[in-house]
Amino acid sequence: MTERTIAIQIGAVSFIDEGVGNVLDTVQSRAGVNTLWLATPTWNRASGGRAEPGRPFPDHGKAEYEPDWRGGNYANIHPEYYRGSVLGPAGRAPEYSDWDMLEAVIAEARPRGLKSFAYFDESSHARELRRLPGFQHCLEVDIWNKPARRPCFNNPDYRNWVLAIVEDYIKSYELNGLAFSSARPGPLDRLLQEPTRQGLGLIVCYCPHCKARAAERGIDWRRAQEGQRKMVLLNAAVSEGNRPPDGVLASFWRLLLTYPEILAWQSLWADGQHQLYRDIFGTVRSFRPDMKVGWDLHQGIGFSPFQRAGQNYADLSHIADFLKISTYHDAGGPRFASFVRNIASAVFGDADPTAVYPVLLKMLGLDEGALDELPQTGLSADYVRREVARADVGREGRSTIWAGIGIDIPVGEPDAQPAAEVSIGDTPMIDADLTAGPGLIETTPARVSAAVRAAFDGGATGIVLGRKYSEMRLDNLSGVKTALADL
């Protein structure tokens, strides 16, 4: 029988706070971990740093917030690989700038039989990346023709910079693999579920590179932009209770018929993302054919039939050795509830959320409890099993499926921050009723064990424990090994 992959996502701070050897011993003894996903580079608190300000600390590590955490590259930089990009060498993280996480951890992991993957998380907004010289020239352009917050997949300088980091890592370190995370919904994904103006600046991209690609395909960018702006106005009207006479869905569909460029622009955006995947895959294969490479796919794909259509696991499986699907069943309850409420205020605005929810479950092939209870109960272990089984495309492509098992992922409103926000990947999901007050789902060892068993029952060949070790309670981490003993 092929060895199951038991991976865990870990940021640099855990090794600094607790010591490399101690962390490795802990994750092996508690959870049977045999693979490390070392979060570098990352500019995202979801994968780097300690617990977010206002969140509870776990029962290990240093109980001190990092309000000035910035993130970046936690490995040494080899400048010769970055000559093909105006961005230059990849932004060394100011935290522990004289310490190389990859070098230090790989040296202690290998004798313990642990594999080491670089976990490249590009999923945060570009706030810290903007410190890099020239980065403003790589940003996406939104439908208002203003610079957006994120770099554009189709910008050659950004693409070459990403590939330079990949080449630097795979040539400079004895890594066993690389995982790349790009948790970005596309422009139409946002428009179909965005009832407020939150995130409208991320309806993209109209930079010169995207316009040039559109021209090659015969797509009129002005028409695409005009149609998207009209969708924004429709969303605003629906969110204010002004339902169109012909209904919301009919009005959305009419806009798509009138402006087919909206769909074409979504395809253009997704193709840019997937081409970056292909380039990363090809770069790794060229220099390290023995190394595993794959994609960390965000949870929103499992909630939205529209995102499912654009992120086809069968297609992605041909350009990856593994697909990590984020089947976070605890955090998934509040996230899914917020998604339902949002989409019922946009494209499904003809019905209230409680009417939309059962239809959406049928569309997605899920069987879960009442909508109002999801924030308190989370999603079931059966959700994990169903999502893994749906993603099991091993007969069609080269990749295997690794299930993301969430352990102590924060939900609700952090005590130190006034905004009530729950996120699905990069998409803000606002719902004051959802995030206010106690009673939201909490992780338990039993729920972790159930999710792990369900993942392997569904056909997964591995699991990835997330979001990050610095959030996880050790008793919950032990739930993994309890499940493995039963398999």
Side-chain angles (χ1 to χ4, degrees):
M1 175 178 165
T2 304
E3 181 187 32
R4 297 185 179 98
T5 295
I6 312 298
I8 189 169
Q9 296 172 194
I10 307 183
V13 69
S14 293
F15 298 112
I16 294 295
D17 286 352
E18 302 177 45
V20 174
N22 183 58
V23 170
L24 301 185
D25 290 344
T26 298
V27 299
Q28 280 190 296
S29 63
R30 289 276 184 170
V33 165
N34 56 30
T35 303
L36 308 171
W37 279 27
L38 303 172
T40 186
T42 177
W43 295 264
N44 188 355
R45 282 189 184 270
S47 54
R50 300 190 190 105
E52 297 173 359
R55 304 290 189 184
F57 292 106
D59 51 353
H60 60 91
K62 192 173 182 180
E64 183 177 310
Y65 293 123
E66 305 164 288
D68 298 323
W69 184 88
R70 285 169 49 186
N73 190 342
Y74 290 94
N76 285 332
I77 295 169
H78 303 88
E80 61 269 26
Y81 296 112
Y82 299 87
R83 294 169 183 158
S85 172
V86 60
L87 297 175
R92 191 66 161 88
E95 303 88 14
Y96 337 120
S97 58
D98 59 348
W99 182 73
D100 186 331
M101 177 170 65
L102 295 183
E103 180 179 61
V105 175
I106 291 171
E108 294 204 38
R110 192 182 303 109
R112 291 174 166 83
L114 287 164
K115 296 177 181 177
S116 297
F117 284 41
Y119 179 33
F120 189 149
D121 184 357
E122 72 101 49
S123 304
S124 66
H125 294 319
R127 187 178 300 116
E128 292 303 329
L129 288 173
R130 288 175 187 165
R131 298 175 185 269
L132 291 175
F135 200 78
Q136 68 273 18
H137 301 300
C138 296
L139 293 175
E140 294 172 318
V141 175
D142 68 18
I143 56 172
W144 319 111
N145 296 316
K146 298 184 300 184
R149 300 180 232 168
R150 304 286 294 273
C152 177
F153 295 126
N154 290 323
N155 186 299
D157 276 308
Y158 180 63
R159 186 186 299 275
N160 290 341
W161 185 73
V162 168
L163 297 177
I165 298 173
V166 171
E167 186 176 357
D168 188 349
Y169 282 5
I170 64 179
K171 287 185 175 181
S172 303
Y173 301 95
E174 294 185 43
L175 289 162
N176 302 102
L178 182 139
F180 184 78
S181 172
S182 177
R184 304 198 205 183
L188 184 56
D189 296 326
R190 292 184 179 282
L191 286 165
L192 292 171
Q193 65 186 60
E194 197 69 72
T196 71
R197 294 191 179 275
Q198 182 81 27
L200 292 183
L202 293 174
I203 300 171
V204 291
C205 169
Y206 290 92
C207 75
H209 305 287
C210 289
K211 288 178 179 178
R213 285 179 177 259
E216 291 172 0
R217 298 186 181 194
I219 305 170
D220 186 337
W221 69 267
R222 293 176 180 83
R223 293 268 305 166
Q225 196 174 75
E226 181 180 326
Q228 289 173 338
R229 289 178 177 179
K230 288 187 177 181
M231 276 198 170
V232 169
L233 294 176
L234 176 60
N235 274 344
V238 173
S239 67
E240 292 168 3
N242 299 318
R243 182 174 174 272
D246 290 334
V248 181
L249 183 57
S251 298
F252 266 102
W253 190 252
R254 183 175 293 138
L255 281 172
L256 291 176
L257 293 174
T258 306
Y259 297 95
E261 295 86 359
I262 295 174
L263 281 172
W265 210 260
Q266 172 73 12
S267 294
L268 182 77
W269 180 91
D271 289 348
Q273 182 188 55
H274 295 166
Q275 186 58 53
L276 182 57
Y277 289 166
R278 292 186 187 92
D279 291 348
I280 293 171
F281 185 77
T283 299
V284 174
R285 276 291 182 273
S286 296
F287 298 115
R288 290 283 305 277
D290 59 314
M291 181 182 285
K292 301 295 185 185
V293 58
W295 324 125
D296 180 1
L297 303 172
H298 66 94
Q299 191 163 18
I301 297 171
F303 295 160
S304 169
F306 306 107
Q307 288 193 48
R308 276 192 182 184
Q311 300 287 341
N312 188 344
Y313 292 153
D315 290 344
L316 294 175
S317 73
H318 290 281
I319 51 171
D321 295 306
F322 62 87
L323 301 178
K324 179 223 167 181
I325 58 172
S326 298
T327 49
Y328 297 148
H329 67 315
D330 285 345
R335 289 176 173 183
F336 194 21
S338 282
F339 172 78
V340 173
R341 292 188 173 101
N342 272 9
I343 205 166
S345 297
V347 66
F348 291 159
D350 296 311
D352 63 43
T354 56
V356 170
Y357 177 59
V359 177
L360 197 57
L361 288 179
K362 289 289 187 182
M363 289 180 178
L364 300 172
L366 300 177
D367 184 12
E368 296 297 321
L371 175 64
D372 290 344
E373 297 174 0
L374 289 184
Q376 289 74 43
T377 64
L379 298 174
S380 65
D382 189 57
Y383 154 78
V384 178
R385 181 191 63 79
R386 288 174 183 246
E387 279 297 282
V388 170
R390 179 178 70 85
D392 186 4
V393 294
R395 292 182 298 276
E396 300 181 51
R398 72 174 72 244
S399 71
T400 58
I401 301 301
W402 295 354
I405 305 297
I407 300 180
D408 296 304
I409 295 178
V411 295
E413 180 180 354
D415 293 339
Q417 297 183 19
E421 180 172 307
V422 175
S423 295
I424 297 177
D426 167 62
T427 308
M429 298 292 170
I430 308 297
D431 190 312
D433 292 336
L434 168 64
T435 56
L440 295 179
I441 182 67
E442 294 184 0
T443 301
T444 66
R447 284 186 61 82
V448 172
S449 294
V452 171
R453 288 191 293 268
F456 288 115
D457 286 345
T461 62
I463 58 173
V464 183
L465 311 177
R467 297 184 312 180
K468 54 184 179 181
Y469 171 73
S470 63
E471 291 174 335
M472 301 174 187
R473 290 186 56 83
L474 296 181
D475 56 344
N476 291 331
L477 195 58
S478 296
V480 177
K481 202 162 188 180
T482 299
L484 295 177
D486 296 335
L487 295 174

